[in-house]
Amino acid sequence: MVVASPTPIPNEKIQAVELPVIDLSSKRSEAPKLIVKACEEYGFFMVINHGVPQDIIERMEEESFSFFAKPVSEKQRAGPANPFGYGCKNIGFKGDTGEVEYLLLNTNPLSISQRSKTISNDPEKFSSAVSSYIEAVRELACEILELMAEGLWITDTSVLSRLITDVDSDSLLRLNHYPPLKDCRDRDTSPSSLQPHHHQQQQHHQNCNSNGNSNKIGFGEHCDPQILTLLRSNDVGGLQISIEDGVWIPVPPDPTAFCVNVGDVLQAMTNGRFVSVRHRALTNSCKSRLSMAYFAAPPLHAWITSPPEMATPHRPSLYRPFTWAEYKKAMYSLRLGDNRLELFRARNDEEIAS
């Protein structure tokens, strides 16, 4: 498995692909089908006209940049991340590293309020911005999960969304800051160069490799363990997904959109029909990249199992039932890039063969 490393693997390929973009303001009947198709093919899509108020996004981004602009000694007051708080470069539980600094927050309002005291000079302002953002993206996540259930013909369309609206939900908010590269004096830094189209991104990656300097791994290859990730980033590229070993698809930066990643729990609950997408972030720009990721997760005690519509005699359950707490324990024992779901495969030979 690939874990965070200083430079990408030499023989990997960058492939330009038109990734699915779903307009949530369009016909309600179309969205469920489009979402299911995207989750089956990529485990990833982008949503526009998502309903998250722009002022809430801007407040969260402003507070994030303000924190990351502080002197190191002040930022360290909010750390070390264990797992919550400020972390820098050390991003996994088993020695994984990357060119990133981050804040990891529990979405519980009391936890946010208490932690804000070590994060901001104006804790109430920070806490308010975070809580408003979490509330808005949670609502969006619920809408997407209910559209998914509808598209899968699951009778109880709230079977997925209930897991994240539960008062004991283990959801997280992670603010990632990827500092700019130090060696980009001779490169084009015009605004257009920082927002490449698909073919430009491919060329940009190749140019960086040929110069022998750039494209450090900001956050190494991994799948998200939770149900769903909603990620919003500023207008700087770096995110890539992989649906084939050694082949990476750049995600064009779009600050008006949210990226949606299928996580391991959703793959298990859809009985393998949806794909938990492998992805990574590169520090491939001369500008700071900020990403704000909401990880929608179930309560620790919640049992993860497929709804009845997802398991049939022709497609028996691929995974044994497990709790989110059990899955997290396995996650902590592995490297960032390891395949955790394999540990929870159904052991019946006939089921595995199917």
Side-chain angles (χ1 to χ4, degrees):
M1 293 294 173
V2 178
V3 293
S5 55
T7 54
I9 298 170
N11 60 356
E12 67 186 16
K13 296 176 185 174
I14 301 298
Q15 185 176 348
V17 171
E18 200 70 38
L19 294 167
V21 178
I22 297 170
D23 185 344
L24 292 184
S25 69
S26 61
K27 290 182 183 176
R28 167 97 190 179
S29 59
E30 290 300 308
K33 292 182 233 172
L34 294 172
I35 288 173
V36 167
K37 186 171 186 285
C39 291
E40 289 176 336
E41 292 182 4
Y42 297 100
F44 174 92
F45 57 96
M46 298 167 77
V47 290
I48 56 173
N49 294 319
H50 43 68
V52 178
Q54 187 60 29
D55 64 315
I56 286 179
I57 294 172
E58 287 173 359
R59 279 174 62 207
M60 186 69 260
E61 188 172 79
E62 182 185 338
E63 290 296 320
S64 302
F65 271 126
S66 293
F67 172 78
F68 290 120
K70 287 182 171 187
V72 173
S73 59
E74 287 188 37
K75 287 186 283 194
Q76 287 175 337
R77 285 182 56 225
N82 187 30
F84 303 115
Y86 174 73
C88 185
K89 301 210 173 184
N90 295 315
I91 55 178
F93 303 100
K94 293 290 175 181
D96 300 295
T97 59
E99 297 298 315
V100 63
E101 57 176 346
Y102 62 90
L103 269 177
L104 184 63
L105 303 170
N106 187 296
T107 55
N108 176 283
L110 183 59
S111 172
I112 293 167
S113 178
Q114 290 174 337
R115 196 159 285 281
S116 295
K117 295 169 188 173
T118 62
I119 292 171
S120 174
N121 300 331
D122 189 342
E124 286 188 17
K125 186 183 174 198
F126 182 87
S127 180
S128 171
V130 172
S131 295
S132 297
Y133 184 79
I134 287 170
E135 187 178 338
V137 292
R138 183 194 292 121
E139 191 175 320
L140 173 59
C142 286
E143 180 185 357
I144 290 170
L145 288 169
E146 286 167 16
L147 288 169
M148 282 178 181
E150 190 180 321
L152 291 167
W153 297 93
I154 295 172
T155 307
D156 180 2
T157 54
S158 63
V159 68
L160 301 171
S161 61
R162 271 201 310 272
L163 292 170
I164 64 171
T165 55
D166 190 294
V167 68
D168 294 323
S169 162
D170 193 40
S171 299
L172 308 171
L173 179 68
R174 185 179 184 119
L175 309 172
N176 288 322
H177 177 238
Y178 302 93
L181 297 169
K182 306 298 182 188
D183 51 3
C184 49
R185 288 165 296 185
D186 299 328
R187 287 167 47 197
D188 181 10
T189 57
S190 64
S192 60
S193 73
L194 300 173
Q195 302 171 39
H197 297 295
H198 290 305
H199 68 280
Q200 290 174 318
Q201 284 177 314
Q202 183 171 2
Q203 190 60 48
H204 172 78
H205 179 97
Q206 291 167 345
N207 287 347
C208 286
N209 280 346
S210 66
N211 292 341
N213 54 9
S214 314
N215 277 63
K216 287 188 176 180
I217 297 286
F219 210 110
E221 176 184 351
H222 65 287
C223 295
D224 294 335
Q226 294 87 354
I227 302 172
L228 196 73
T229 304
L230 289 183
L231 182 136
R232 194 267 177 195
S233 62
N234 62 335
D235 217 355
V236 178
L239 178 63
Q240 297 180 337
I241 68 168
S242 175
I243 56 174
E244 181 186 345
D245 285 347
V247 179
W248 290 94
I249 301 169
V251 177
D254 182 354
T256 68
F258 274 88
C259 296
V260 184
N261 292 353
V262 170
D264 293 348
V265 167
L266 190 55
Q267 179 172 324
M269 292 189 76
T270 59
N271 200 24
R273 189 163 161 187
F274 287 1
V275 184
S276 181
V277 64
R278 300 192 73 77
H279 56 286
R280 69 182 184 183
L282 302 185
T283 54
N284 64 352
S285 171
C286 293
K287 286 178 69 177
S288 289
R289 179 171 180 265
L290 176 74
S291 68
M292 308 186 296
Y294 169 74
F295 299 101
L300 289 170
H301 57 76
W303 279 95
I304 307 304
T305 185
S306 301
E309 294 89 346
M310 292 289 92
T312 67
H314 300 292
R315 189 179 176 84
S317 294
L318 296 174
Y319 307 100
R320 65 174 177 82
F322 55 88
T323 64
W324 173 237
E326 187 183 0
Y327 199 77
K328 277 186 80 173
K329 186 178 178 182
M331 177 182 77
Y332 289 148
S333 71
L334 299 172
R335 296 285 305 244
L336 184 67
D338 288 344
N339 188 331
R340 299 169 288 253
L341 266 180
E342 283 301 310
L343 299 177
F344 295 86
R345 280 267 180 184
R347 292 304 173 198
N348 182 291
D349 290 340
E350 186 178 327
E351 289 180 353
I352 293 172
S354 69

